[in-house]
Amino acid sequence: MKYTGIFITLLFVLLCFHLHARQAEPTNISLSVKNASVEQVFKEIKKQSGYGFVYPSGILARMHKVTFSTMKASLLFVLDQLFKDQPFTYTVIDKVVVIKSKGNDSGQPDQPITDNIFIQVRGKITNEKEEPLHGVTVAVKGTDQVTYTNASGHFSLNNIPRGATLHVSSVNMETYELRIHSQTDLAIRMKEKVRELADVTVMVNTGYERIPKERATGSFEFVSNEELERRAGTDILSRLEGVATGIIFDRRRLASNQTAIPVNNVTIRGLSTLTETMKNPLIVLNNFPYEGDINNINPNDIENITILKDAAAASIWGARAANGVIVINTKKARFDQTTSLSFNGNVTIGEKPDLFRYPSMTIADVIENEAFLFSRGFFNALINNTTATSNHWNQHHRHENSHSTPHL
């Protein structure tokens, strides 16, 4: 009877420990999946129970899709249903479900993916110049454990299963993976990601058709909107100056108060005609010849400009293209284009005019100037000339002398 009482007491204690363990296990998991992936079920279990999953890379592709339904079941019951027809089994260690293989084709059991030993991993991540990288993502593959490097490039992860794989990623850097065995202090050097730029096709507009620049047989100069915005100016020709090659802007014939360059002061590779009326380059606006003043076109409305420089333009526009063609394309709306607002300002600084100043000479200055010219023989040719011009000059001076006679 004495030993019977001791046995009953031990059995009661073991039963209490078992009940306590069962109570600690989550029992409110509800799932209803049909032909769902195991990864999707893992996420739902973690969301409802807080238990994480540890597994090697590539294992999810080898697991079959599952179909089952349960209401307020325990975690172990749900896991048993999940792994019932799978080639893997599981072990629960401190709120972590560790997945391991049941065996291989030869019948020999495989080693588990972890030896149930958890370690702390620290390290520093740098680039190829050994400069620390800030904000690099360091994640344990197959789990939800993730951290980021600080300003000095250091990171730290706790409770990492030995044998797990670290996934290191960052913007503009090559992704790096490292399997952890017994290393606790890591030095990871990442490489910059090399990206191949997409092919860019530059289209030139001849005023008749749009073709790729490499297919153009003649000499073309393509000026985009970005290049036009690099220079400040209130007219198109001022913005083309210094941007397009092969164009000469003659500012010698501009008036003192003239800022805009007229089109007749522009030559493309010199003059090719002798007539005064056809020496200007032809202006084509949106595929139509433009007869107005080019300075009246708002440069902010220009999308791009193509300049035709050689005789190939004559095959399109005839003799009017002998001195070159300036093809202008304005901005156009496109389908599904978002609304945008832009602002561009130009400031021109000039001398303040004196509206009350009138350039004139006094009578004394005029007489002094005429006397000086007469003393130097400036009017001798006109005086000795007996033609009508001379008589006209004498009458003109007699009219002046009637008002004032200089003292010589």
Side-chain angles (χ1 to χ4, degrees):
M1 295 294 295
K2 179 179 179 181
Y3 293 105
T4 303
I6 295 175
F7 177 76
I8 293 174
T9 303
L10 292 175
L11 184 62
F12 179 75
V13 172
L14 291 175
L15 180 61
C16 291
F17 274 112
H18 178 71
L19 290 176
H20 176 74
R22 298 296 291 182
Q23 290 176 358
E25 176 191 345
T27 59
N28 58 347
I29 301 177
S30 300
L31 287 174
S32 179
V33 293
K34 182 178 181 181
N35 198 24
S37 63
V38 178
E39 183 180 9
Q40 181 181 354
V41 179
F42 284 170
K43 293 180 180 180
E44 189 63 29
I45 293 176
K46 180 182 181 304
K47 180 180 179 182
Q48 297 188 27
S49 65
Y51 278 62
F53 291 84
V54 176
Y55 49 86
S57 59
I59 195 173
L60 296 178
R62 299 166 56 188
M63 298 186 71
H64 312 301
K65 294 185 177 182
V66 294
T67 300
F68 68 92
S69 179
T70 180
M71 291 292 295
K72 295 184 179 180
S74 64
L75 174 66
L76 296 179
F77 177 80
V78 174
L79 293 176
D80 290 340
Q81 296 294 322
L82 180 61
F83 289 91
K84 181 171 60 176
D85 298 326
Q86 303 289 351
F88 303 95
T89 185
Y90 69 92
T91 301
V92 181
I93 303 174
D94 191 20
K95 298 197 70 173
V96 177
V97 181
V98 182
I99 303 174
K100 57 184 179 180
S101 177
K102 289 182 179 179
N104 52 24
D105 297 335
S106 61
Q108 298 296 330
D110 293 336
Q111 297 294 330
I113 66 172
T114 179
D115 50 10
N116 299 338
I117 298 178
F118 296 86
I119 59 177
Q120 181 184 16
V121 179
R122 298 184 301 269
K124 181 179 180 180
I125 301 178
T126 60
N127 56 15
E128 294 177 311
K129 299 179 181 179
E130 297 186 356
E131 298 173 345
L133 297 178
H134 174 63
V136 178
T137 303
V138 183
V140 181
K141 201 167 185 179
T143 70
D144 58 346
Q145 291 181 279
V146 63
T147 187
Y148 304 92
T149 57
N150 55 20
S152 60
H154 290 89
F155 71 94
S156 177
L157 286 169
N158 299 322
N159 298 327
I160 305 301
R162 191 167 67 180
T165 301
L166 291 184
H167 182 84
V168 184
S169 61
S170 178
V171 180
N172 297 328
M173 305 298 290
E174 296 286 348
T175 302
Y176 188 87
E177 289 190 358
L178 176 65
R179 189 174 180 86
I180 304 300
H181 295 285
S182 59
Q183 309 99 313
T184 55
D185 293 317
L186 304 176
I188 301 175
R189 181 177 298 178
M190 302 186 71
K191 297 181 179 180
E192 293 186 3
K193 186 180 297 183
V194 179
R195 298 179 179 178
E196 183 179 356
L197 296 177
D199 295 336
V200 178
T201 302
V202 178
M203 304 293 292
V204 296
N205 195 329
T206 66
Y208 178 76
E209 61 179 346
R210 297 178 71 253
I211 56 177
K213 193 172 183 179
E214 59 272 8
R215 287 182 51 195
T217 57
S219 179
F220 297 87
E221 178 77 14
F222 180 80
V223 182
S224 63
N225 180 264
E226 291 76 12
E227 293 175 314
L228 288 175
E229 294 295 336
R230 293 175 186 174
R231 290 185 59 88
T234 57
D235 57 283
I236 297 176
L237 296 180
S238 297
R239 296 195 180 188
L240 281 178
E241 188 177 9
V243 176
T245 59
I247 306 180
I248 300 175
F249 298 86
D250 188 2
R251 290 182 173 271
R252 295 174 299 175
R253 294 180 292 171
L254 294 181
S256 59
N257 58 349
Q258 188 176 3
T259 58
I261 304 174
V263 71
N264 54 8
N265 284 26
V266 178
T267 56
I268 300 175
R269 287 188 174 179
L271 291 177
S272 299
T273 55
L274 299 177
T275 59
E276 181 71 17
T277 58
M278 297 184 60
K279 72 176 185 178
N280 302 333
L282 176 64
I283 308 300
V284 177
L285 178 63
N286 293 332
N287 302 339
F288 288 94
Y290 181 74
E291 302 295 343
D293 187 0
I294 189 174
N295 294 317
N296 293 333
I297 303 175
N298 186 358
N300 297 318
D301 295 337
I302 304 303
E303 180 67 25
N304 55 67
I305 296 177
T306 305
I307 302 172
L308 317 183
K309 301 180 181 180
D310 61 356
S315 62
I316 303 173
W317 297 103
R320 299 189 62 183
N323 290 307
V325 183
I326 300 177
V327 181
I328 303 174
N329 292 319
T330 58
K331 297 179 181 178
K332 302 177 181 64
R334 295 185 297 271
F335 181 72
D336 289 341
Q337 183 180 8
T338 58
T339 303
S340 61
L341 179 63
S342 60
F343 173 78
N344 186 15
N346 295 294
V347 178
T348 303
I349 300 176
E351 184 180 358
K352 181 180 179 180
D354 186 0
L355 302 179
F356 300 97
R357 178 180 178 274
Y358 182 76
S360 60
M361 295 178 63
T362 62
I363 297 177
D365 291 337
V366 174
I367 295 174
E368 181 181 0
N369 182 60
E370 293 285 345
F372 175 79
L373 294 176
F374 188 84
S375 64
R376 293 294 187 271
F378 180 78
F379 300 113
N380 290 341
L382 295 176
I383 295 173
N384 298 328
N385 191 356
T386 59
T387 61
T389 305
S390 177
N391 296 330
H392 175 74
W393 179 86
N394 291 330
Q395 293 176 2
H396 172 71
H397 270 68
R398 282 196 299 269
H399 177 70
E400 288 184 350
N401 294 335
S402 64
H403 296 281
S404 63
T405 304
H407 179 71
L408 301 180

